Amino acid sequence: MKYIVQKFGGTSLNTAELREQVAAKIIHAVKEGYHPVVVVSAMGRGGESYSTDSLLSLAYEVSREIPGRESDLLMSCGEVISGVVLAATIRGKGFPAVFLTGSQAGIITDDNFNDARIRRVDPQIILEHSRLGKIVVVAGFQGVTEKGEITTLGRGGSDTTAAALGVALEAVCVDIYTDVEGIMTADPGIVNNARLLETITYNEICQLAHEGVKVIHPRSVEIAMQKNIPLRVRSTSSDAPGTLVTNDSQVYKGAIDITRDRIVTGITQKTGITQLKINMPETNASAWQVRIFKGLALAGISVDFINASPEAVVFTVKDEMAQKAVEILENLGMQPVKRPGCVKVAAIGAGMTGVPGVMAGIVDALTRENVAVLQSADSYTTIWVLVQQEDMVKAISALHQQFLD
Ligand code: ASP
Ligand code: MG
């Protein structure tokens, strides 16, 4: 049997009109000969009636001290509501459909409430319904422990459910339907000629997600990647193919070699960053380094963009943690130099591995625009530069022009 997993996010489900569009996508898949297994998020976002945040705020208005197992029970209702309504919508179109909770669908997790990991998927019940010709609608973002406690998978976790089911069913594809057309080369609000990517590798999309691109949960990509299940990020309100996530160019007819053909795939940015610099004394730099990083760790402050040398220690923290970090360092007898309002810009591309001249291109582009690089770092697939907030648009546009126009 050819299974396809179709996941619909909250913004694709919050009006009757949108749910009609969703039902049409599902029925189209049936007509194409697939057995669709549909994963839903809770309807809407933020303060909308049945969204995850709205459900949580009902309890938080009473107390901030809700035990994890109970907030999971509460949150799990959001996906149940949207799943039942969607199954009814599908049946209204004359197609048999059944709704299953995460537990009924065999999603078994650990007992880390609010952020549980899927241990295994037992797809027996899904398969039974599907073999009878029913469209199976599954509540995303939730599972059950071996002892029967309901859990949730961390915010944005419906994508994770979809990928895990894709692997368990050996699906032809996992379609992540959302309110954008796919993955873009940069934020179109910043770069006018940002383009939609036809293909992207699992590693690249994971990097993009970790750098703050919010279209897909990185954990879901990691799960799909293990069994090479193709993912597609696409729009609920159009028929466009969206962005295909895979390592295998053969899967998608006509796709070009997705790594070798380009060096940089996307440019991202993370704002609200403070850089801290501490000059080291002439002797004993390593003892200072230990004191700095232990002091910050004990205070629960996460550091990033770390560069430690005998001359200086430089790193970044989130703007809101900067004051606390400065106080800790001053209590240690140090005089940190603080530079608030920085932006971490990343150029991401699997094709840059081992290619000479990528950093040269980055520095060239930024120099042309008079953008100062405050710090840089690199990995196999990413080069990061730290710039001042006022240079952000210039920096991203210059890098886009250099590598992606
Ligand atoms: N409804 C959950 C959330 O808002 C899960 C999801 O939408 O993926 O985080
Ligand atoms: Mg999401």
Side-chain angles (χ1 to χ4, degrees):
M1 296 234 275
K2 279 199 304 181
Y3 290 97
I4 189 166
V5 176
Q6 297 178 298
K7 182 258 167 177
F8 295 92
T11 51
S12 301
L13 292 163
N14 54 345
T15 65
E17 203 184 326
L18 284 164
R19 289 191 292 274
E20 291 286 318
Q21 286 179 8
V22 165
K25 297 271 182 220
I26 298 164
I27 291 164
H28 180 73
V30 173
K31 290 188 175 155
E32 298 262 284
Y34 293 108
H35 285 262
V37 173
V38 178
V39 175
V40 292
S41 289
M43 289 179 198
R45 270 198 193 137
E48 288 175 290
S49 301
Y50 305 106
S51 76
T52 307
D53 287 317
S54 297
L55 296 172
L56 275 178
S57 66
L58 278 174
Y60 284 158
E61 274 162 25
V62 181
S63 159
R64 291 298 301 182
E65 312 290 311
I66 307 292
R69 65 173 289 283
E70 287 180 23
S71 55
D72 273 357
L73 278 166
L74 180 61
M75 284 192 283
S76 71
C77 298
E79 273 68 13
V80 173
I81 294 168
S82 71
V84 169
V85 174
L86 182 63
T89 309
I90 298 167
R91 284 192 298 268
K93 305 247 161 254
F95 287 77
V98 60
F99 169 73
L100 301 174
T101 64
S103 160
Q104 291 166 338
I107 312 275
I108 314 297
T109 73
D110 62 19
D111 61 1
N112 188 20
F113 293 108
N114 297 178
D115 195 22
R117 297 281 168 138
I118 297 177
R119 284 214 171 126
R120 62 190 162 81
V121 177
D122 179 1
Q124 216 38 50
I125 309 278
I126 296 181
L127 293 172
E128 279 167 24
H129 285 295
S130 205
R131 281 185 195 127
L132 292 172
K134 286 185 232 169
I135 295 166
V136 183
V137 181
V138 178
F141 172 57
Q142 57 179 262
V144 67
T145 67
E146 304 280 358
K147 289 190 176 153
E149 294 279 3
I150 302 298
T151 52
T152 65
L153 308 177
R155 299 305 303 270
S158 296
D159 294 344
T160 312
T161 305
L165 289 178
V167 168
L169 299 166
E170 293 180 20
V172 175
C173 189
V174 175
D175 279 339
I176 306 284
Y177 283 96
T178 179
D179 53 0
V180 294
E181 290 286 328
I183 313 283
M184 306 287 288
T185 51
D187 181 342
I190 295 178
V191 180
N192 286 339
N193 41 350
R195 284 181 285 109
L196 189 73
L197 289 157
E198 264 176 55
T199 55
I200 190 166
T201 67
Y202 294 110
N203 274 327
E204 287 171 330
I205 201 173
C206 268
Q207 279 292 332
L208 290 173
H210 283 299
E211 293 302 324
V213 174
K214 292 210 171 62
V215 281
I216 192 164
H217 197 298
R219 201 179 284 166
S220 68
V221 182
E222 278 146 20
I223 291 173
M225 181 162 68
Q226 288 169 22
K227 286 275 179 335
N228 253 316
I229 305 288
L231 296 168
R232 265 182 311 199
V233 178
R234 55 199 307 193
S235 160
T236 311
S237 52
S238 89
D239 287 329
T243 303
L244 174 76
V245 191
T246 173
N247 283 335
D248 182 0
S249 53
Q250 297 308 311
V251 174
Y252 196 57
K253 220 174 38 223
I256 42 163
D257 186 316
I258 53 185
T259 53
R260 244 165 291 160
D261 197 52
R262 61 186 179 214
I263 291 174
V264 172
T265 299
I267 317 282
T268 62
Q269 71 287 336
K270 264 191 181 166
T271 56
I273 291 174
T274 294
Q275 185 194 46
L276 293 169
K277 180 174 179 189
I278 306 116
N279 289 320
M280 294 292 102
E282 297 212 336
T283 55
N284 231 0
S286 33
W288 274 52
Q289 291 173 358
V290 173
R291 268 189 276 159
I292 292 171
F293 292 118
K294 277 206 170 149
L296 294 169
L298 284 173
I301 298 177
S302 149
V303 293
D304 194 19
F305 234 133
I306 306 151
N307 189 328
S309 75
E311 288 76 40
V313 166
V314 190
F315 58 87
T316 61
V317 295
K318 289 192 178 144
D319 279 345
E320 58 270 25
M321 299 310 275
Q323 199 42 44
K324 193 171 165 196
V326 167
E327 279 163 24
I328 289 165
L329 296 166
E330 284 176 347
N331 284 339
L332 290 170
M334 301 171 187
Q335 286 159 353
V337 181
K338 184 170 116 178
R339 197 197 285 263
C342 297
V343 182
K344 190 176 176 188
V345 175
I348 296 165
M352 73 169 65
T353 310
V355 175
V358 186
M359 189 59 181
I362 288 179
V363 180
D364 233 12
L366 296 178
T367 309
R368 265 202 307 274
E369 293 296 327
N370 284 323
V371 174
V373 176
L374 307 173
Q375 239 180 289
S376 71
D378 69 292
S379 76
Y380 286 119
T381 56
T382 307
I383 295 183
W384 293 270
V385 288
L386 190 71
V387 301
Q388 292 281 17
Q389 174 75 47
E390 55 266 32
D391 287 337
M392 179 184 82
V393 174
K394 271 198 290 179
I396 297 172
S397 307
L399 295 179
H400 198 275
Q401 195 184 7
Q402 179 82 12
F403 296 104
L404 289 157
D405 277 1

